[in-house]
Amino acid sequence: MKNVDIPVLEKYTLTIEEASAYFRIGEKKLRRLVDEHRNASWLITNGNRIQIKRKQFEKIIDELEEI
C-alpha cells in the first residue's frame, strides 16, 4: 500500500496534530476537549488513536464564541 499525502481540506478525519494546525487550537486544548467529550459525534477512536471528523468539528467551532 502506497503512502499517499492527502491535503487536509480533503481529509474526512484529522489527527490531533493535524486538527491543531488546521484550526489553530493548541494540542493540549484539543486533547482536553476530546477527554471532556469522549462520546461526541465528531470523534472516532481507532484503538488508542483519536481522529476528529473535520466537517462536524468545523460546525461545532462555528457555533462557539470561545474555546
Side-chain angles (χ1 to χ4, degrees):
M1 187 168 164
K2 292 183 180 180
N3 187 8
V4 179
D5 287 331
I6 300 171
V8 172
L9 284 173
E10 295 180 17
K11 289 185 176 185
Y12 182 74
T13 62
L14 304 173
T15 64
I16 294 286
E17 295 79 12
E18 290 170 332
S20 175
Y22 181 76
F23 293 108
R24 298 184 54 91
I25 299 171
E27 287 183 34
K28 287 182 182 179
K29 174 77 85 167
L30 276 174
R31 290 186 193 283
R32 196 172 332 123
L33 285 171
V34 167
D35 287 341
E36 292 171 0
H37 301 92
R38 277 289 182 197
N39 296 320
S41 63
W42 46 269
L43 282 178
I44 297 175
T45 53
N46 182 9
N48 64 351
R49 186 176 194 176
I50 298 165
Q51 296 283 300
I52 296 173
K53 294 179 186 177
R54 183 180 52 82
K55 288 185 180 181
Q56 288 185 13
F57 194 67
E58 283 176 354
K59 290 178 185 176
I60 300 296
I61 296 295
D62 287 342
E63 295 173 2
L64 297 176
E65 301 217 3
E66 79 177 45
I67 296 177

